[in-house]
Amino acid sequence: MFVGIETTNILVLGSGDNLHQQVLASFPLCDVTEEDLTQNPQFCKLLATLTQHVDRSGLTVPLKADLERAEQKLQSQKRQWLRSESLHRGLQEMIQEFYVRKHNSTVPPDQNMFYETMERCLRVTRCAKQLDPSSTTSQDQPSVLGLTPQQVLQLLPSEKNAQRMKQALPRQLERRLKEKCLSLVSYYQPEWENESEGLKTNKLSHLSTLLDKDKKRTELLKETCRENTVLLQRQTQLYLSELIKCIQLLQTLILDHRLKIQTDLDGKKLDYFEGKCELVLQKIKTEMVEIQLDTYSLDTISAHRKIREKLESELMACKAEKQALEMKLSSFEILGKAFEALADEYCRLRQEIDMKNWALKELTKYNEK
């Protein structure tokens, strides 16, 4: 029977992707994605069944009703406290403004009596309330300076002055609250500030409705913003998961492509290194040739230097021989003309000997033929 009801509830919600979207919308605070629901169909059915018993915040229907009643009671007490607190602060502001006016100018005696009576009543009432804890706790507390609330209440102003103050207070308080409300209207809509007091009063009667609409619209915007935030988080998670998958697929493709082209890449690297080695060897050969040329140049320079030294030494020897011959010649010149005749005779005899030697050689060649 229970299974049939559960199935009926799930069918009412929907099926497939529509069911997933409804479940996700029913539990915005649950960190669950559509992929989780697809992978766990039984868990999706459980959540779909829970949507009949809990609200979007996860509270059950009875607990939600109790919470609403408690919130209503709290709002009622809060309104009562705010009402009394607003009146009390309004009275204190009136007293403060009175003392400011009294300091700057002279005030009529009746106003002076009115505000002094009101201030005294507020102070005595506040002190008596502090001394009487019966409204907040059932336990007895030690008295302050041995005073009791009844003793403090005796300090209230006279009954006559209190009655006069009570009769004038509603008008003063009404005027004060009206000024506050009109200033609130001007603050809410600054363009209404220059309008007449009657028109402002008319719009003041609708101010609570306008504020309630603004509050509801603000709450709706907050709820929409919260839903958009949850949706954005889910989309971000989905995007990140898809991005991780794409990165993994891309890494796989890169690895496969790298393995396929690794051989070609290695071959190209090998050709590159071979060419580079050939260039380096060619450069080394060129440098060696240049070194050999430099060595040959050095050898040539050395040989030229040796030849130069040899020629210079021979030149020095010739110069020495020339000098010796010149000395001999000088010694021969000392002998005078007799030596010249002797020299001429020697030259003539030398020439005859050379001629005869030549003729003898020619004759010998002829006889041999």
Side-chain angles (χ1 to χ4, degrees):
M1 184 66 181
F2 177 75
V3 176
I5 296 174
E6 180 180 355
T7 305
T8 304
N9 293 333
I10 294 175
L11 291 175
V12 170
L13 285 174
S15 60
D17 296 336
N18 189 21
L19 176 62
H20 296 165
Q21 295 297 330
Q22 292 180 3
V23 169
L24 293 176
S26 300
F27 296 97
L29 302 179
C30 186
D31 189 12
V32 179
T33 62
E34 187 172 356
E35 184 178 357
D36 297 333
L37 298 178
T38 303
Q39 295 177 356
N40 302 276
Q42 297 299 325
F43 179 65
C44 180
K45 291 181 181 180
L46 177 61
L47 292 179
T49 305
L50 289 177
T51 55
Q52 307 298 321
H53 306 282
V54 298
D55 61 355
R56 295 169 61 86
S57 62
L59 298 176
T60 61
V61 177
L63 184 59
K64 181 68 174 179
D66 295 340
L67 181 61
E68 290 178 353
R69 285 194 296 270
E71 288 180 351
Q72 291 177 359
K73 185 177 180 180
L74 178 62
Q75 292 295 331
S76 177
Q77 294 180 358
K78 186 182 292 186
R79 283 193 297 269
Q80 293 178 5
W81 181 84
L82 288 174
R83 189 182 296 113
S84 61
E85 183 68 15
S86 300
L87 291 174
H88 185 262
R89 291 190 180 184
L91 295 176
Q92 288 181 336
E93 290 176 359
M94 290 171 63
I95 294 172
Q96 291 175 358
E97 292 178 359
F98 164 73
Y99 280 111
V100 172
R101 292 198 307 269
K102 184 178 180 180
H103 179 74
N104 296 328
S105 61
T106 305
V107 296
D110 55 344
Q111 289 188 9
N112 191 14
M113 180 62 66
F114 171 77
Y115 284 104
E116 288 181 355
T117 303
M118 183 173 62
E119 182 183 13
R120 190 171 183 180
C121 290
L122 287 176
R123 288 182 177 179
V124 171
T125 305
R126 184 176 180 181
C127 291
K129 187 176 181 181
Q130 293 291 334
L131 294 173
D132 186 12
S134 60
S135 59
T136 57
T137 179
S138 60
Q139 298 179 358
D140 296 334
Q141 292 184 354
S143 60
V144 180
L145 300 177
L147 297 175
T148 61
Q150 291 75 17
Q151 292 174 342
V152 175
L153 290 175
Q154 292 177 3
L155 299 176
L156 286 171
S158 62
E159 186 68 22
K160 182 179 180 181
N161 293 336
Q163 288 297 328
R164 290 179 181 177
M165 185 270 296
K166 291 180 181 179
Q167 290 176 0
L169 181 60
R171 293 191 301 271
Q172 297 290 337
L173 190 59
E174 182 180 1
R175 181 180 61 81
R176 177 72 181 181
L177 292 176
K178 186 175 182 180
E179 292 176 356
K180 286 281 187 180
C181 292
L182 293 178
S183 64
L184 180 62
V185 170
S186 300
Y187 176 79
Y188 178 72
Q189 292 290 343
E191 61 271 13
W192 294 351
E193 186 174 2
N194 298 326
E195 295 181 356
S196 61
E197 183 177 350
L199 187 58
K200 286 183 180 180
T201 304
N202 184 23
K203 291 181 178 180
L204 180 61
S205 61
H206 303 287
L207 183 61
S208 61
T209 305
L210 295 176
L211 291 175
D212 187 56
K213 289 182 180 179
D214 289 345
K215 183 179 179 181
K216 290 180 179 179
R217 185 169 61 254
T218 303
E219 291 177 352
L220 182 61
L221 290 175
K222 286 182 179 180
E223 182 66 23
T224 304
C225 182
R226 191 181 299 110
E227 292 178 356
N228 291 335
T229 302
V230 175
L231 181 60
L232 180 61
Q233 291 177 353
R234 290 175 178 169
Q235 291 179 350
T236 303
Q237 292 178 354
L238 181 61
Y239 171 75
L240 291 176
S241 62
E242 294 296 329
L243 184 61
I244 291 173
K245 292 180 181 178
C246 293
I247 291 174
Q248 293 175 352
L249 180 60
L250 184 60
Q251 290 177 347
T252 304
L253 293 175
I254 291 174
L255 182 59
D256 294 341
H257 181 68
R258 181 180 298 174
L259 293 175
K260 290 178 181 179
I261 66 171
Q262 189 66 38
T263 304
D264 298 336
L265 184 61
D266 292 341
K268 292 179 179 179
K269 285 184 178 180
L270 183 60
D271 295 337
Y272 167 74
F273 287 123
E274 288 179 353
K276 192 172 182 180
C277 291
E278 290 179 357
L279 290 176
V280 172
L281 292 175
Q282 187 68 29
K283 187 175 180 181
I284 292 173
K285 290 179 180 179
T286 304
E287 291 179 353
M288 290 181 67
V289 170
E290 292 178 353
I291 293 172
Q292 291 176 356
L293 290 176
D294 293 339
T295 305
Y296 176 75
S297 299
L298 293 175
D299 294 339
T300 304
I301 293 171
S302 179
H304 288 171
R305 186 180 291 111
K306 291 180 179 179
I307 294 172
R308 182 180 179 86
E309 291 177 353
K310 184 177 181 181
L311 291 175
E312 287 179 352
S313 62
E314 292 179 355
L315 179 62
M316 293 295 294
C318 291
K319 286 182 178 180
E321 185 178 1
K322 178 183 177 183
Q323 188 176 3
L325 292 175
E326 286 178 351
M327 291 176 66
K328 288 180 179 182
L329 183 61
S330 297
S331 62
F332 288 148
E333 287 179 353
I334 295 174
L335 298 177
K337 294 182 177 181
F339 178 77
E340 291 180 358
L342 183 61
D344 292 337
E345 183 64 21
Y346 176 77
C347 291
R348 185 182 63 77
L349 293 174
R350 188 70 184 172
Q351 290 178 354
E352 288 180 0
I353 292 170
D354 292 336
M355 287 295 294
K356 290 179 178 181
N357 287 331
W358 176 80
L360 181 61
K361 289 180 180 179
E362 292 292 329
L363 181 61
T364 301
K365 290 180 180 179
Y366 180 78
N367 293 325
E368 290 178 354
K369 291 181 179 180

